[in-house]
Amino acid sequence: MSCSLYVHVPFCERKCGYCSFFSMAGGREHIPSWLDTVKREAESYSRNGKIQLSTLYIGGGTPTYLTLTEWETLMSVIRANFGTSTLTEATSEANPSSLTHEHVSFLRDNNFTRISLGVQSLSDSELETLGRVHDSGSARRAMSLVKSSGLNLSCDLIFAVPGQTLRTWDYSLRSVMDYAGHISCYQLTLEPEAPMYSRYGGDDLNGAGYKFYRYAQYMLPRHGFGQYEISNFALPGHECRHNIAYWNHSDVIALGPSAVSYVDGVRYANPSSLEEYISGVKGEREELPPGESAIELAILSLRTKWGISRASLLPEVEYTISQMPPDLFVITPERIALSPRGMRLGNYIWSEIMLYADT
Ligand code: SF4
């Protein structure tokens, strides 16, 4: 069996103002028990080492919060339980403030191919508003460290930050283009539990995001970065294979608190609590009925530029699509995909398809 593996590292130096991912500030003393539990969980999935990994993604949280000794333990757990000689891509997320030369060398020596760096902005005042630990200088230092190592670099950027202008957005986009082959652009969204919510939660951040997104769609392709998914742009050949596996509904084993696996049509969601995870509390198991699974696949596939094959599309979903404005889609005899405008209005399209699912 071949599948992808995700490991969630739930530790960060401190909480960013907009964060609603499952992670804790500090918590270094919990790392040994988190690693022990990851080991137990990996063993429960390993099928006597018969699973060959196609992609590996270490995310979080902040994987570069781990020391090299902790990284070595993590990698030995992965190698002891899964075949890694078949990997076509291995990525670690990293934070500019904690990524060291030693981390980069370790990742390169362990056959990682990519680093995904949480740059978010090259404006110091925006980074401060977001409550990031790093400043623009450390973002540049980290990008240059990865570039000079020969590893592929992906950078995350955030738009619709309070105080952001098209000029600062353009500056951030141009700055990361000098280093990265892959750029992810996410709109700032604030969940009620995010520290920034009390200050900005009532602001119309969604409305504010449109012009920034449109600008990225205009500017990045002119510099060779094709949009291959709603939030992702890449130079040819730099698309993230691990994320493509998610959007194709391929099997993904996910280890760590809050991680969600999808194996043989069954979804397992680990508890979003380190304490519960370590003490072995079972997460939620959900077997998707075929109809729901087909709708989910349609929504996931439509996120990408490749879209979905019409042969695997439920006729009712195809009918729902036919009732929407035609310029939202690129339709060929074989496939249906979103047009650039459709990507801008993705939320509207998902809600129309989900409406069908609920009837
Ligand atoms: S680094 Fe990422 S996971 Fe950690 S607090 Fe910031 S946004 Fe959240």
Side-chain angles (χ1 to χ4, degrees):
M1 175 193 178
S2 161
C3 77
S4 294
L5 178 68
Y6 172 79
V7 182
H8 189 76
V9 182
F11 307 100
C12 291
E13 284 167 79
R14 76 164 193 233
K15 275 310 254 189
C16 301
Y18 57 93
C19 182
S20 36
F21 300 113
F22 177 70
S23 72
M24 60 168 59
R28 190 162 284 293
E29 68 279 13
H30 298 299
I31 293 177
S33 31
W34 165 74
L35 275 169
D36 283 346
T37 316
V38 167
K39 178 168 180 273
R40 277 206 308 278
E41 213 191 351
E43 287 165 355
S44 75
Y45 276 109
S46 91
R47 301 189 189 176
N48 295 322
K50 292 208 178 77
I51 296 179
Q52 299 293 325
L53 297 182
S54 49
T55 65
L56 169 65
Y57 197 103
I58 314 291
T62 305
T64 45
Y65 188 70
L66 302 181
T67 63
L68 288 195
T69 312
E70 291 155 352
W71 261 102
E72 265 160 22
T73 308
L74 177 61
M75 291 312 295
S76 63
V77 166
I78 293 172
R79 284 198 203 95
N81 290 285
F82 304 103
T84 53
S85 61
T86 45
L87 279 171
T88 59
E89 179 188 273
T91 305
S92 173
E93 289 182 350
N95 194 318
S97 60
S98 54
L99 180 71
T100 61
H101 180 71
E102 289 72 26
H103 279 123
V104 175
S105 301
F106 177 88
L107 293 170
R108 204 185 40 208
D109 294 347
N110 282 271
N111 299 324
F112 276 72
T113 55
R114 297 171 88 237
I115 290 182
S116 174
L117 198 60
V119 170
Q120 317 309 359
S121 171
L122 267 296
S123 149
D124 283 328
S125 69
E126 287 167 20
L127 289 168
E128 204 179 317
T129 302
L130 292 169
R132 294 291 301 191
V133 185
H134 69 275
D135 61 12
S136 59
S138 39
R140 283 190 188 281
R141 179 201 58 84
M143 290 193 289
S144 151
L145 189 60
V146 179
K147 186 170 183 183
S148 58
S149 74
L151 288 169
N152 292 321
L153 174 64
S154 173
C155 291
D156 288 355
L157 290 176
I158 295 182
F159 59 90
V161 181
Q164 190 174 36
T165 63
L166 272 183
R167 194 183 172 100
T168 59
W169 178 231
D170 175 73
Y171 179 70
S172 292
L173 287 168
R174 285 180 196 276
S175 302
V176 299
M177 274 187 332
D178 289 342
Y179 301 92
H182 185 283
I183 301 173
S184 302
C185 300
Y186 298 109
Q187 170 153 333
L188 179 65
T189 47
L190 296 175
E191 303 294 335
E193 66 273 17
M196 277 172 76
Y197 186 84
S198 57
R199 177 142 186 223
Y200 298 106
D203 294 2
D204 179 17
L205 296 174
N206 281 335
Y210 188 82
K211 66 180 178 192
F212 295 106
Y213 186 70
R214 223 183 145 155
Y215 187 74
Q217 278 189 316
Y218 160 80
M219 200 266 235
L220 289 172
R222 276 163 181 72
H223 291 85
F225 288 79
Q227 182 172 21
Y228 74 99
E229 196 264 346
I230 297 242
S231 305
N232 289 290
F233 300 80
L235 296 177
H238 287 249
E239 296 84 1
C240 176
R241 294 179 192 203
H242 183 82
N243 284 342
I244 291 172
Y246 271 110
W247 300 319
N248 285 342
H249 243 191
S250 303
D251 285 347
V252 178
I253 293 172
L255 312 177
S258 79
V260 181
S261 300
Y262 182 78
V263 180
D264 297 334
V266 180
R267 182 173 293 130
Y268 304 89
N270 283 344
S272 295
S273 149
L274 186 60
E275 205 182 342
E276 288 185 6
Y277 175 68
I278 287 171
S279 57
V281 172
K282 292 272 172 254
E284 284 174 22
R285 180 185 190 279
E286 184 188 15
E287 200 157 342
L288 292 182
E292 261 182 55
S293 177
I295 288 173
E296 195 171 286
L297 176 64
I299 289 177
L300 288 171
S301 306
L302 279 172
R303 295 183 66 91
T304 71
K305 72 170 182 184
W306 302 283
I308 186 163
S309 101
R310 295 176 79 165
S312 59
L313 198 56
L314 289 177
E316 297 86 337
V317 175
E318 185 150 9
Y319 175 76
T320 307
I321 288 173
S322 74
Q323 299 305 298
M324 288 188 251
D327 66 343
L328 298 183
F329 301 94
V330 178
I331 299 179
T332 68
E334 294 81 30
R335 303 191 76 79
I336 298 182
L338 294 188
S339 66
R341 181 159 186 261
M343 295 235 179
R344 292 195 286 279
L345 295 175
N347 285 342
Y348 157 70
I349 294 168
W350 317 145
S351 63
E352 289 294 302
I353 294 176
M354 290 308 291
L355 212 58
Y356 157 72
D358 290 339
T359 55

